[in-house]
Amino acid sequence: MTTDTTQGTAPDAAVPGATVLDARGVTMRFGGLTAVRGVDLTVGAGEIVGLIGPNGAGKTTFFNCLTGLYVPTEGEVRYRGTVLPPKSFKVTAAGIARTFQNIRLFANMTVLENVLVGRHTRTKEGFWSAVLRGPGFHRAERASRERAMELLDFVGLAAKADHLARNLPYGEQRKLEIARALASEPGLLLLDEPTAGMNPQETRTTEELVFAIRDMGIAVLVIEHDMRFIFNLCDRVAVLVQGEKLIEGDSATVQGDERVIAAYLGEPIENAPGKENDR
Amino acid sequence: MNELPQQLVNGLLLGAMYGLVAIGYTMVYGIVQLINFAHGEIFMTGAFGALTVWLWLPGGTTMWLALPLMIIGAVIVAVAIAVGAERFAYRPLRNAPRLAPLITAIGLSLALQQAVWAWYPEAKSARTFPQISGGPFEIGNVTIQTGDIFLVAAAPLSMAVLGYFVLKTRTGRGMQATAQDPDTAKLMGVNTDRIIVIAFALGAAFAAVGAVAYGLKYGEINFRMGFILGLKAFTAAVLGGIGNIYGAMIGGVVLGVAETLATAYIADIPGMDKFGSQSWADVWAFVLLILVLLFRPQGLLGERVADRA
Amino acid sequence: MTTQTTAPDTPGARKADATGGLLPLPEKAARALALGGSVLTALSTFLAWTWTADFPGDLTVYGYPGGLQVLVLVGALLATLVALASYGLKGLRWLVPAGADPALRLATLAVFTTSWYTVLAISADLGGLVNLEPGGFLVALASLAALAGALSLPFRRPEPDPADPDDTGWAKTRHGLAHAWATTKAVFAADSPRPVRALPPYAEILIIVGVLALGLTVFTYGIGTEYDEQFIGFLITAGLGFAALNKAGLISHASQITARHQNITTCGAFVAAALFPFTQTDDQYATLGVYILIFATVALGLNIVVGLAGLLDLGYVAFLGVGAYAAALVSGSPSSPFDVHFPFWAAVLVGAAASLVFGVLIGAPTLRLRGDYLAIVTLGFGEIFRITANNLDGTSGPDITNGSNGVSSIPNLDVLGFDFGAQHDLGGYTIGRFANYFFLMLVITAVVVLVFRRSGNSRIGRAWVAIREDETAALAMGINGFRVKLIAFAVGACLAGLAGTVQAHVTYTVTPEQYLFAGPIPPNSAFLLAAVVLGGMGTISGPLIGAALLFLIPNKLQFLGNYQLFAFGVALILLMRFRPEGLIPNRRRQLEFHEDAEAPTLLTKAGA
């Protein structure tokens, strides 16, 4: 599936069993507020790991620590064994890509251009190459466009390549964000609430998309609130509550844990009418 | 009079004036992330407002009576223009891409400068500003000109008033809240629009005080006085920590002292003997800005700016 | 910046209520009136409008139009054609792909405004309506009739927004005004044009040639206007005429055609520009042409920094100055403290390199920080450059730049035996000094356009736009924000320095006072920024046209003199409030600034 453009290592087929992401003791303090407290998380090659928790639990903050948007106050994050430099563009170059909770597309660029920007880190044609336009430039542009169209095809947006990103319906914008993230040939993809605001149909499509991504050899870490989506999709789920990791395990373990239920649904009120359902 | 204490005092007073103007820049930037380029011109119009009051008063009015009236005049003019600018030029552009309000600010700055030049009587050259009569004060081996006496009183008083306002009043706390997180502040019932207007108004008021100080110090005002001074005042705001009100005054003082000392003593450095004249003063201010940005961009006291998502 | 909203309700496009024109005439009569009025106006330009030649342009002759009459004639012919097209004549359908009526209204408005301006100017200048000949009255009536007819044509009236019953007096007035404004806009609103049929290539190329020739004519006329009234009339006719063509959909058609043949258009434009000196009989207007070209080229360089990468540089003219001073100092001028005379290619390198160095020096510490700081730092640098150049005069500092007198008597260039200072004869045409430099500057402009086009349409160009749109997201895509911004800034500085080396030779002298932040004479930083913003950020033709306008207006309208800069400041404020995307319609930028505008589904390559 890959048209190997230029250098930029394409860490697609990783060694199964190898640890792709290793976060240890990640703590994030903002002044007096501790948003994330000593969180450990690993993601192995070919895994889909979920991260759930009530709103305000620190999930997105944790993501931002992983991608260099925030520098963790304590702890360290290793990607394939190397500690990542605290700059988001270097993290992307190393092989972690992400989407955002509030869609951050380049609204006034076309769909294709958005994905082409995603390819930035895997291509190297700079200013001089652009001005002088040697054969290398044309080759690289052509290859980039081909790869971008492949990715658009993969997510089902190839027909709308020349549409403005802001004109896409919401579900397709989310898909575009994923295509754009994939363009940087990541080994780990971080998805921040990819199905927020989607109907069940779209959610199902997204599930299949994520499975397909995993089959490409990319590990996935997903933040989500849609429980059915998470438990269908993930091999492992970690629960974050008030900045701390409460529990981690497969779906049965997590669903049955009392503390998780309490965190989401609250403690049962004494003598309350009706019973709580098991989720 | 090259003695160090004198130079320090000179620098302090110059810096206090910078600080008063810097307050306006820092308050507005802290809340709406806008460099109000027109602030230097608002400062300038304050000076002309004061002058107008003076010209209007019967000749021979003693400064004890005239000065407070002049200050009021300066404040009224400056605040009126600042509030008008916020309402008609900046507010419509609140959600526009960043360049639009900046360019508007530049246009406003030009328009104000030229309006005064074109329509204020005889403003095409500098106009004399009234002076406080009496000789210079001597304290130890330091001389303070009468013009600067005003600053000695005005600057600390202004900071005290401002500090009280921000910390103790409801509006002041609302301002802090808006500066930190405008959306949440709104949800908490803070009228952010009003807060922003107040920020502009307060900044203009302090700049007006600084303008009167300028006039008293230099004896004349001209339509261009806001341009370079505005630049320096913003430098002071950055130096102290943008968004930080105390930083504005501290930054101003540091800048004033640095500029004065540089002008006085640079010529003593071997090889730099030609660089000691007053015409290089502005250059040193700029060099200081670059150095600050290189080594401590968040300023001396740290930034206090809302995270604009 | 969420992109979650789907296309919102566009205000104003409400249910079409009554049709029917602004004025109550039956449609057939209205159309006939518009046509008849336009024809009559055209004819009346052949009459005398005033009896004395005191009013410039000699409007006293029966038989041929002079001065402002020519403008009115052109406008009236345009209006006539559009009126004929509005009858649905097959042969004229190409003229109005978006429908004729809105264009007709604007065209008749152009004629009306120009002719009434002329007539009123005559009366005001000469002291009373009595100074008008019958021809003058005729043209006033005819153009009024044409406008009335056009405004009576039916249009889609918008329904007023529902009024809030709680509104008090002021709110009610505002509501009424808003509705009146919406109605006025609707009068002149046009539909989207029919998509242009693909014509055979030779036909499209001919069209491009025609467009370029038209552009050259308009530009030459504009430069060559001799008196205030003529220039004002030119602005009115050209402005409203262009608007009329825009509403007719011709502009968008032309853009699409030129977009298909971009290279030919660009080359053709340069050829047209190169023809400009040949249209002049003496060097007087070639001088203007060179200055405009310098200004425009520098504006285009700034466009890379501001328009593409979104970096607000307020001291850009300093880079022009650095290049100019560097070239001047090595040019062998007697007032230069350096006793060297570099050949031109070396001087160019020195100038460009010097600017590049300063660009990197300024950019490196500042571009890592919040974008607003760049504005202040560049503003400071602009001032510091000027102050330093002023001070290095031997007294306040070592004598490097000769202080406020600057470096003067810069010798003319002599490249490969071609003396730029001398007149040359080329096939019967005399090419004077300024014309020589015009051609040289054209080469520099070509370089800048090339750099702009090619870098814009590439990986780095996309990175620039991404940074401008959403820096956080761009960083998350792996773009090294600092490096990319520094490249834009440095390229901009280098190109300005390049232009500066030619400027030094053209103006004989470089002084610090030439490089201000704001002043009555362009180029200066404020004017450059305005040219980019006014023309349209991110386009190529935008800054060029913006620069031409901004140079000519203060130059031609001397009476503005004192109030120029004031008007300039006010214009900037209004522009940002009402049309921040600039004059040249670039759909993409328009969308950036007007969040609730309807966006076309597809964006063609021209961004149109």
Side-chain angles (χ1 to χ4, degrees), chain C residues 67-79:
Chain C
L68 282 156
Q69 290 176 325
V70 173
L71 287 170
V72 175
L73 176 62
V74 168
L77 286 176
L78 176 67

Side-chain angles (χ1 to χ4, degrees), chain B residues 121-283:
Chain B
E122 286 156 50
K124 299 205 175 26
S125 45
R127 296 218 49 179
T128 359
F129 199 83
Q131 295 292 283
I132 302 181
S133 51
F137 286 80
E138 304 249 355
I139 304 182
N141 41 359
V142 169
T143 312
I144 301 186
Q145 306 294 327
T146 46
D148 288 332
I149 287 293
F150 172 70
L151 259 182
V152 172
L157 193 61
S158 304
M159 290 313 291
V161 167
L162 187 60
Y164 176 81
F165 174 80
V166 170
L167 291 175
K168 301 281 192 214
T169 65
R170 204 164 141 262
T171 319
R173 281 199 297 272
M175 216 178 252
Q176 287 183 65
T178 313
Q180 279 192 29
D181 187 343
D183 291 325
T184 311
K186 253 189 246 189
L187 292 174
M188 293 295 119
V190 174
N191 184 344
T192 44
D193 276 352
R194 220 182 108 233
I195 294 283
I196 293 175
V197 172
I198 292 180
F200 271 85
L202 270 183
F206 287 112
V209 173
V212 173
Y214 182 103
L216 289 172
K217 184 186 184 64
Y218 292 114
E220 62 176 30
I221 59 177
N222 69 81
F223 72 100
R224 283 212 93 222
M225 61 192 258
F227 182 56
I228 289 270
L229 196 124
L231 258 185
K232 288 196 202 166
F234 189 79
T235 304
V238 170
L239 180 50
I242 195 83
N244 189 322
I245 299 171
Y246 305 109
M249 185 49 85
I250 298 210
V253 166
V254 169
L255 180 62
V257 169
E259 192 183 308
T260 314
L261 289 182
T263 310
Y265 295 118
I266 280 261
D268 296 340
I269 300 178
M272 300 274 276
D273 53 293
K274 288 249 175 79
F275 289 95
S277 65
Q278 187 59 32
S279 41
W280 289 99
D282 301 336
V283 178

Side-chain angles (χ1 to χ4, degrees), chain A residues 48-112:
Chain A
I48 305 180
V49 176
L51 189 58
I52 64 177
N55 276 324
K59 307 187 293 293
T60 302
T61 310
F62 181 64
F63 259 26
N64 290 344
C65 290
L66 295 179
T67 55
L69 227 60
Y70 296 156
V71 181
T73 327
E74 283 170 31
E76 103 184 338
V77 176
R78 280 175 186 271
Y79 175 74
R80 290 175 195 257
T82 339
V83 177
L84 294 175
K87 296 221 162 177
S88 50
F89 71 90
K90 291 195 184 166
V91 166
T92 311
I96 301 184
R98 71 171 292 174
T99 64
F100 292 90
Q101 195 173 358
N102 298 326
I103 299 185
R104 293 185 94 134
L105 289 173
F106 303 116
N108 295 307
M109 293 172 100
T110 65
V111 165
L112 181 64

Side-chain angles (χ1 to χ4, degrees), chain B residues 33-173:
Chain B
Q33 278 88 57
L34 168 72
I35 302 183
N36 183 6
F37 279 107
H39 189 64
E41 271 60 47
I42 291 176
F43 160 81
M44 180 265 295
T45 55
F48 276 89
L51 181 65
T52 312
V53 168
W54 169 257
L55 292 174
W56 193 63
L57 289 172
T61 320
T62 158
M63 271 312 238
W64 288 107
L65 181 59
L67 197 55
L69 291 175
M70 285 164 65
I71 296 176
I72 294 178
V75 169
I76 291 180
V77 171
V79 169
I81 294 187
V83 169
E86 192 279 326
R87 182 70 187 76
F88 296 110
Y90 296 137
R91 196 186 295 189
L93 295 177
R94 225 43 83 82
N95 291 319
R98 227 185 45 233
L99 276 181
L102 276 174
I103 294 176
T104 303
I106 294 171
L108 186 59
S109 158
L110 270 174
L112 285 171
Q113 249 186 50
Q114 293 303 307
V116 168
W117 177 85
W119 287 302
Y120 194 89
E122 286 156 50
K124 299 205 175 26
S125 45
R127 296 218 49 179
T128 359
F129 199 83
Q131 295 292 283
I132 302 181
S133 51
F137 286 80
E138 304 249 355
I139 304 182
N141 41 359
V142 169
T143 312
I144 301 186
Q145 306 294 327
T146 46
D148 288 332
I149 287 293
F150 172 70
L151 259 182
V152 172
L157 193 61
S158 304
M159 290 313 291
V161 167
L162 187 60
Y164 176 81
F165 174 80
V166 170
L167 291 175
K168 301 281 192 214
T169 65
R170 204 164 141 262
T171 319
R173 281 199 297 272

Side-chain angles (χ1 to χ4, degrees), chain C residues 412-603:
Chain C
N412 281 310
L413 286 176
D414 197 321
V415 179
L416 303 176
F418 184 87
D419 181 3
F420 276 81
Q423 270 193 352
H424 299 265
D425 274 309
L426 197 64
Y429 289 97
T430 344
I431 315 289
R433 176 182 186 267
F434 285 100
N436 292 337
Y437 282 111
F438 184 87
F439 290 123
L440 179 62
M441 196 60 212
L442 211 53
V443 172
I444 307 274
T445 311
V447 169
V448 176
V449 168
L450 187 81
V451 170
F452 187 93
R453 264 265 296 276
R454 288 189 167 184
S455 59
N457 272 337
S458 70
R459 176 176 172 265
I460 188 114
R462 288 190 289 266
W464 286 335
V465 176
I467 293 268
R468 187 189 75 208
E469 285 249 348
D470 186 343
E471 186 163 346
T472 313
L475 292 177
M477 294 303 117
I479 297 177
N480 183 342
F482 169 69
R483 195 159 160 273
V484 158
K485 285 197 255 188
L486 189 60
I487 292 178
F489 197 74
V491 169
C494 186
L495 291 176
L498 192 60
T501 56
V502 176
Q503 189 210 30
H505 291 278
V506 170
T507 57
Y508 291 119
T509 316
V510 284
T511 64
E513 292 313 303
Q514 289 174 328
Y515 306 105
L516 303 168
F517 170 67
I521 307 176
N524 48 65
S525 295
F527 265 67
L528 281 169
L529 185 63
V532 173
V533 170
L534 174 71
M537 291 187 258
T539 61
I540 291 188
S541 47
L544 298 179
I545 296 185
L549 274 177
L550 281 178
F551 189 91
L552 280 179
I553 292 181
N555 189 284
K556 294 286 180 184
L557 300 181
Q558 296 292 345
F559 72 87
L560 276 187
N562 292 343
Y563 307 98
Q564 226 170 184
L565 279 181
F566 173 74
F568 182 69
V570 171
L572 272 184
I573 299 176
L574 291 176
L575 200 63
M576 279 297 109
R577 178 74 180 83
F578 297 111
R579 201 179 161 95
E581 68 273 15
L583 282 183
I584 302 295
N586 179 333
R587 206 58 186 120
R588 193 202 292 275
R589 280 316 276 249
Q590 214 162 18
L591 294 173
E592 272 183 58
F593 282 108
H594 301 279
E595 278 193 345
D596 52 354
E598 256 184 54
T601 331
L602 293 182
L603 203 62

